[in-house]
Amino acid sequence: MAALVRHDTATEAVFPRADAEIRADAAEIARLYDALDGVSERDNPRTARLLSCGRSKIAQKLIEEAGEIALEAVRHRSRSVVRESADLVYHLVVVWHECGITPDEVWAEMRRRTDKLGVAEKLPKSPGRPASAAECGK
């Protein structure tokens, strides 16, 4: 997997970790993604069952994990947010795999957004539109 971010001052402000560490994190996601091809009921029963349930169930699990993170965050339970985040990433990678989307496609979109906006943030709904009070939780 190629370097995931450009090495420049703007990127360092957004991604302050070393490039090698970022690649290692992406490598872990790639490892999980690739491992999904070899899942067996005997060795990976929970993942095998999840994959056999299909896209709707996998998507439902993704939503559940995101909700659990949000609840733990508002409860100020940082350790729980970490654990639930790992679950969310796992389910996200399973969704990608189910949809035939590779991690490299997602990284390319992140790079495209960074190149356009300076941060790999969500693209605006319409050009120049400021954030609404609802988006800011007000």
Side-chain angles (χ1 to χ4, degrees):
M1 207 177 268
L4 301 176
V5 294
R6 291 185 327 249
H7 187 73
D8 60 21
T9 320
T11 301
E12 287 177 2
V14 177
F15 300 106
R17 300 179 308 160
D19 284 346
E21 187 177 345
I22 293 170
R23 282 191 300 273
D25 296 344
E28 183 61 23
I29 288 175
R31 182 207 57 78
L32 170 59
Y33 184 90
D34 293 341
L36 293 172
D37 288 330
V39 166
S40 70
E41 184 65 40
R42 182 177 58 84
D43 295 331
N44 317 98
R46 294 184 72 179
T47 300
R49 277 194 304 277
L50 179 62
L51 290 170
S52 72
C53 289
R55 195 173 290 189
S56 293
K57 181 63 174 179
I58 296 167
Q60 177 186 351
K61 293 299 293 179
L62 184 68
I63 292 167
E64 288 174 15
E65 296 303 338
E68 289 172 10
I69 291 170
L71 289 173
E72 295 302 333
V74 297
R75 293 176 178 156
H76 302 281
R77 296 179 181 164
S78 297
R79 186 67 200 134
S80 294
V81 170
V82 169
R83 286 192 301 272
E84 296 300 340
S85 293
D87 291 346
L88 178 66
V89 170
Y90 162 80
H91 284 94
L92 179 60
V93 172
V94 172
V95 165
W96 293 349
H97 190 271
E98 175 67 21
C99 294
I101 298 166
T102 66
D104 284 339
E105 291 175 83
V106 177
W107 307 143
E109 176 63 15
M110 297 291 287
R111 280 190 302 275
R112 185 180 76 75
R113 291 177 182 201
T114 298
D115 290 345
K116 182 176 183 172
L117 303 169
V119 176
E121 65 185 19
K122 184 174 175 164
L123 295 174
K125 299 287 185 203
S126 59
R129 184 181 138 248
S132 70
E135 289 171 319
C136 295
K138 297 177 182 169

